[in-house]
Amino acid sequence: MELREKVLSPKKQVIRERPGRILSVARALLDEEGYAGVTMERIAKVMNCSRPPIYKHFSSREDVVMGLAIEDAQQRWKLFKCAATFQGRPREKLVAVNEFVFRTYPDQLRILSLLKPNLIRLKATSKHQETLADYESRAFDILTRIVDEGVEEGDLVIPGGQPASTVAYGLLCLS
């Protein structure tokens, strides 16, 4: 029996691609106009549609920003995984993490800074809150493992017997 990919109608394909397009437009608006420019009305205008199709995917502009944060957190997690598999010393892996965060994907820092007051997080859907927390946790776990590996191999000495997770948290806070 041969498995075939289901071919979607053009309309269904547009609907499937809409969340990504919404986020792409929102990211461009955020870059050009800042957070104040990211409104459902502006997104709809740029996409040349009404607001209801946007609300089918995102409950509010805060939810859209959480969608951007999820994209960024997923990218950061992938980059951390790549750094963790680097065939080098733990200190070199930490340098790779730093390079990824600050040079390869610096725009994520602006979106993360929007989330710090927590108002955006609280207004987003619980599904988006949970998804973001999951990717943040995954990235934190990878960084903690790299720090643990550094301690085990003698690349890092943590004063005062602090756990690796404390150092990993500090490194994330620095970003």
Side-chain angles (χ1 to χ4, degrees), residues 54-72:
I54 296 168
Y55 281 109
K56 285 186 180 182
H57 301 284
F58 298 95
S59 65
S60 63
R61 80 175 179 159
E62 291 85 4
D63 209 34
V64 171
V65 172
M66 281 291 283
L68 294 173
I70 289 167
E71 281 185 343
D72 292 351

PDB file of all heavy atoms in Angstrom, residues 54-72:
ATOM      1  N   ILE A  54      -7.375  36.462  11.758  1.00  0.00           N
ATOM      2  CA  ILE A  54      -6.208  36.551  12.645  1.00  0.00           C
ATOM      3  C   ILE A  54      -6.587  36.052  14.038  1.00  0.00           C
ATOM      4  O   ILE A  54      -5.843  35.306  14.666  1.00  0.00           O
ATOM      5  CB  ILE A  54      -5.667  37.994  12.677  1.00  0.00           C
ATOM      6  CG1 ILE A  54      -5.165  38.352  11.269  1.00  0.00           C
ATOM      7  CG2 ILE A  54      -4.549  38.138  13.703  1.00  0.00           C
ATOM      8  CD1 ILE A  54      -4.875  39.802  11.061  1.00  0.00           C
ATOM      9  N   TYR A  55      -7.779  36.445  14.490  1.00  0.00           N
ATOM     10  CA  TYR A  55      -8.246  36.011  15.807  1.00  0.00           C
ATOM     11  C   TYR A  55      -8.494  34.504  15.876  1.00  0.00           C
ATOM     12  O   TYR A  55      -8.542  33.943  16.957  1.00  0.00           O
ATOM     13  CB  TYR A  55      -9.510  36.776  16.219  1.00  0.00           C
ATOM     14  CG  TYR A  55      -9.224  38.162  16.748  1.00  0.00           C
ATOM     15  CD1 TYR A  55      -9.546  39.292  16.014  1.00  0.00           C
ATOM     16  CD2 TYR A  55      -8.621  38.328  17.993  1.00  0.00           C
ATOM     17  CE1 TYR A  55      -9.279  40.560  16.504  1.00  0.00           C
ATOM     18  CE2 TYR A  55      -8.354  39.584  18.491  1.00  0.00           C
ATOM     19  CZ  TYR A  55      -8.687  40.704  17.752  1.00  0.00           C
ATOM     20  OH  TYR A  55      -8.413  41.951  18.244  1.00  0.00           O
ATOM     21  N   LYS A  56      -8.642  33.852  14.735  1.00  0.00           N
ATOM     22  CA  LYS A  56      -8.797  32.392  14.741  1.00  0.00           C
ATOM     23  C   LYS A  56      -7.507  31.706  15.198  1.00  0.00           C
ATOM     24  O   LYS A  56      -7.531  30.585  15.678  1.00  0.00           O
ATOM     25  CB  LYS A  56      -9.185  31.882  13.354  1.00  0.00           C
ATOM     26  CG  LYS A  56     -10.621  32.152  13.018  1.00  0.00           C
ATOM     27  CD  LYS A  56     -11.007  31.506  11.717  1.00  0.00           C
ATOM     28  CE  LYS A  56     -12.473  31.803  11.434  1.00  0.00           C
ATOM     29  NZ  LYS A  56     -12.941  31.175  10.224  1.00  0.00           N
ATOM     30  N   HIS A  57      -6.388  32.393  15.029  1.00  0.00           N
ATOM     31  CA  HIS A  57      -5.090  31.805  15.375  1.00  0.00           C
ATOM     32  C   HIS A  57      -4.478  32.414  16.634  1.00  0.00           C
ATOM     33  O   HIS A  57      -3.717  31.741  17.338  1.00  0.00           O
ATOM     34  CB  HIS A  57      -4.121  31.959  14.209  1.00  0.00           C
ATOM     35  CG  HIS A  57      -4.601  31.319  12.951  1.00  0.00           C
ATOM     36  ND1 HIS A  57      -4.559  29.954  12.751  1.00  0.00           N
ATOM     37  CD2 HIS A  57      -5.172  31.836  11.836  1.00  0.00           C
ATOM     38  CE1 HIS A  57      -5.057  29.672  11.568  1.00  0.00           C
ATOM     39  NE2 HIS A  57      -5.435  30.793  10.987  1.00  0.00           N
ATOM     40  N   PHE A  58      -4.774  33.679  16.895  1.00  0.00           N
ATOM     41  CA  PHE A  58      -4.189  34.386  18.037  1.00  0.00           C
ATOM     42  C   PHE A  58      -5.279  35.206  18.715  1.00  0.00           C
ATOM     43  O   PHE A  58      -5.997  35.954  18.065  1.00  0.00           O
ATOM     44  CB  PHE A  58      -3.047  35.302  17.583  1.00  0.00           C
ATOM     45  CG  PHE A  58      -1.906  34.562  16.953  1.00  0.00           C
ATOM     46  CD1 PHE A  58      -1.821  34.413  15.575  1.00  0.00           C
ATOM     47  CD2 PHE A  58      -0.925  33.978  17.740  1.00  0.00           C
ATOM     48  CE1 PHE A  58      -0.775  33.717  14.988  1.00  0.00           C
ATOM     49  CE2 PHE A  58       0.124  33.273  17.165  1.00  0.00           C
ATOM     50  CZ  PHE A  58       0.198  33.143  15.792  1.00  0.00           C
ATOM     51  N   SER A  59      -5.384  35.087  20.027  1.00  0.00           N
ATOM     52  CA  SER A  59      -6.472  35.731  20.769  1.00  0.00           C
ATOM     53  C   SER A  59      -6.275  37.227  20.977  1.00  0.00           C
ATOM     54  O   SER A  59      -7.231  37.939  21.247  1.00  0.00           O
ATOM     55  CB  SER A  59      -6.648  35.047  22.124  1.00  0.00           C
ATOM     56  OG  SER A  59      -5.495  35.243  22.925  1.00  0.00           O
ATOM     57  N   SER A  60      -5.025  37.709  20.870  1.00  0.00           N
ATOM     58  CA  SER A  60      -4.730  39.117  21.138  1.00  0.00           C
ATOM     59  C   SER A  60      -3.341  39.437  20.587  1.00  0.00           C
ATOM     60  O   SER A  60      -2.601  38.544  20.181  1.00  0.00           O
ATOM     61  CB  SER A  60      -4.741  39.371  22.652  1.00  0.00           C
ATOM     62  OG  SER A  60      -3.709  38.608  23.269  1.00  0.00           O
ATOM     63  N   ARG A  61      -2.995  40.707  20.612  1.00  0.00           N
ATOM     64  CA  ARG A  61      -1.639  41.056  20.154  1.00  0.00           C
ATOM     65  C   ARG A  61      -0.590  40.484  21.103  1.00  0.00           C
ATOM     66  O   ARG A  61       0.496  40.127  20.692  1.00  0.00           O
ATOM     67  CB  ARG A  61      -1.493  42.556  19.969  1.00  0.00           C
ATOM     68  CG  ARG A  61      -1.255  43.355  21.217  1.00  0.00           C
ATOM     69  CD  ARG A  61      -1.019  44.785  20.845  1.00  0.00           C
ATOM     70  NE  ARG A  61      -0.806  45.600  22.011  1.00  0.00           N
ATOM     71  CZ  ARG A  61      -0.206  46.755  21.967  1.00  0.00           C
ATOM     72  NH1 ARG A  61       0.235  47.238  20.837  1.00  0.00           N
ATOM     73  NH2 ARG A  61      -0.051  47.459  23.056  1.00  0.00           N
ATOM     74  N   GLU A  62      -0.947  40.371  22.389  1.00  0.00           N
ATOM     75  CA  GLU A  62      -0.014  39.748  23.328  1.00  0.00           C
ATOM     76  C   GLU A  62       0.223  38.286  22.947  1.00  0.00           C
ATOM     77  O   GLU A  62       1.346  37.782  23.052  1.00  0.00           O
ATOM     78  CB  GLU A  62      -0.561  39.843  24.757  1.00  0.00           C
ATOM     79  CG  GLU A  62      -0.585  41.244  25.330  1.00  0.00           C
ATOM     80  CD  GLU A  62      -1.835  42.053  24.967  1.00  0.00           C
ATOM     81  OE1 GLU A  62      -2.748  41.501  24.310  1.00  0.00           O
ATOM     82  OE2 GLU A  62      -1.902  43.226  25.339  1.00  0.00           O
ATOM     83  N   ASP A  63      -0.817  37.639  22.476  1.00  0.00           N
ATOM     84  CA  ASP A  63      -0.694  36.252  22.033  1.00  0.00           C
ATOM     85  C   ASP A  63       0.197  36.160  20.787  1.00  0.00           C
ATOM     86  O   ASP A  63       0.967  35.215  20.634  1.00  0.00           O
ATOM     87  CB  ASP A  63      -2.084  35.671  21.755  1.00  0.00           C
ATOM     88  CG  ASP A  63      -2.164  34.180  21.977  1.00  0.00           C
ATOM     89  OD1 ASP A  63      -1.478  33.673  22.893  1.00  0.00           O
ATOM     90  OD2 ASP A  63      -2.928  33.527  21.246  1.00  0.00           O
ATOM     91  N   VAL A  64       0.096  37.149  19.913  1.00  0.00           N
ATOM     92  CA  VAL A  64       0.966  37.200  18.728  1.00  0.00           C
ATOM     93  C   VAL A  64       2.426  37.353  19.169  1.00  0.00           C
ATOM     94  O   VAL A  64       3.314  36.653  18.676  1.00  0.00           O
ATOM     95  CB  VAL A  64       0.557  38.346  17.772  1.00  0.00           C
ATOM     96  CG1 VAL A  64       1.582  38.526  16.664  1.00  0.00           C
ATOM     97  CG2 VAL A  64      -0.826  38.097  17.185  1.00  0.00           C
ATOM     98  N   VAL A  65       2.674  38.259  20.115  1.00  0.00           N
ATOM     99  CA  VAL A  65       4.046  38.453  20.609  1.00  0.00           C
ATOM    100  C   VAL A  65       4.552  37.177  21.277  1.00  0.00           C
ATOM    101  O   VAL A  65       5.719  36.804  21.122  1.00  0.00           O
ATOM    102  CB  VAL A  65       4.128  39.678  21.553  1.00  0.00           C
ATOM    103  CG1 VAL A  65       5.493  39.766  22.228  1.00  0.00           C
ATOM    104  CG2 VAL A  65       3.848  40.953  20.763  1.00  0.00           C
ATOM    105  N   MET A  66       3.675  36.477  21.990  1.00  0.00           N
ATOM    106  CA  MET A  66       4.067  35.182  22.567  1.00  0.00           C
ATOM    107  C   MET A  66       4.408  34.198  21.455  1.00  0.00           C
ATOM    108  O   MET A  66       5.332  33.390  21.589  1.00  0.00           O
ATOM    109  CB  MET A  66       2.953  34.620  23.445  1.00  0.00           C
ATOM    110  CG  MET A  66       2.888  35.232  24.812  1.00  0.00           C
ATOM    111  SD  MET A  66       4.281  34.800  25.872  1.00  0.00           S
ATOM    112  CE  MET A  66       3.816  33.144  26.338  1.00  0.00           C
ATOM    113  N   GLY A  67       3.672  34.254  20.355  1.00  0.00           N
ATOM    114  CA  GLY A  67       3.997  33.404  19.208  1.00  0.00           C
ATOM    115  C   GLY A  67       5.397  33.684  18.690  1.00  0.00           C
ATOM    116  O   GLY A  67       6.153  32.764  18.356  1.00  0.00           O
ATOM    117  N   LEU A  68       5.760  34.968  18.636  1.00  0.00           N
ATOM    118  CA  LEU A  68       7.127  35.343  18.234  1.00  0.00           C
ATOM    119  C   LEU A  68       8.146  34.825  19.247  1.00  0.00           C
ATOM    120  O   LEU A  68       9.205  34.320  18.873  1.00  0.00           O
ATOM    121  CB  LEU A  68       7.239  36.865  18.101  1.00  0.00           C
ATOM    122  CG  LEU A  68       6.432  37.522  16.992  1.00  0.00           C
ATOM    123  CD1 LEU A  68       6.516  39.039  17.099  1.00  0.00           C
ATOM    124  CD2 LEU A  68       6.895  37.037  15.627  1.00  0.00           C
ATOM    125  N   ALA A  69       7.815  34.957  20.522  1.00  0.00           N
ATOM    126  CA  ALA A  69       8.713  34.480  21.573  1.00  0.00           C
ATOM    127  C   ALA A  69       8.895  32.966  21.484  1.00  0.00           C
ATOM    128  O   ALA A  69       9.997  32.446  21.702  1.00  0.00           O
ATOM    129  CB  ALA A  69       8.188  34.878  22.951  1.00  0.00           C
ATOM    130  N   ILE A  70       7.825  32.251  21.148  1.00  0.00           N
ATOM    131  CA  ILE A  70       7.912  30.794  20.989  1.00  0.00           C
ATOM    132  C   ILE A  70       8.827  30.449  19.817  1.00  0.00           C
ATOM    133  O   ILE A  70       9.676  29.563  19.936  1.00  0.00           O
ATOM    134  CB  ILE A  70       6.514  30.171  20.812  1.00  0.00           C
ATOM    135  CG1 ILE A  70       5.750  30.240  22.134  1.00  0.00           C
ATOM    136  CG2 ILE A  70       6.605  28.731  20.307  1.00  0.00           C
ATOM    137  CD1 ILE A  70       4.256  29.952  21.994  1.00  0.00           C
ATOM    138  N   GLU A  71       8.656  31.152  18.699  1.00  0.00           N
ATOM    139  CA  GLU A  71       9.565  30.920  17.563  1.00  0.00           C
ATOM    140  C   GLU A  71      11.017  31.122  17.984  1.00  0.00           C
ATOM    141  O   GLU A  71      11.886  30.318  17.653  1.00  0.00           O
ATOM    142  CB  GLU A  71       9.249  31.886  16.414  1.00  0.00           C
ATOM    143  CG  GLU A  71       8.093  31.542  15.565  1.00  0.00           C
ATOM    144  CD  GLU A  71       7.930  32.485  14.380  1.00  0.00           C
ATOM    145  OE1 GLU A  71       8.508  33.600  14.356  1.00  0.00           O
ATOM    146  OE2 GLU A  71       7.203  32.092  13.460  1.00  0.00           O
ATOM    147  N   ASP A  72      11.268  32.205  18.717  1.00  0.00           N
ATOM    148  CA  ASP A  72      12.625  32.512  19.150  1.00  0.00           C
ATOM    149  C   ASP A  72      13.145  31.485  20.153  1.00  0.00           C
ATOM    150  O   ASP A  72      14.304  31.069  20.086  1.00  0.00           O
ATOM    151  CB  ASP A  72      12.682  33.913  19.771  1.00  0.00           C
ATOM    152  CG  ASP A  72      12.445  35.008  18.741  1.00  0.00           C
ATOM    153  OD1 ASP A  72      12.405  34.711  17.534  1.00  0.00           O
ATOM    154  OD2 ASP A  72      12.287  36.172  19.157  1.00  0.00           O
TER     155      ASP A  72
END
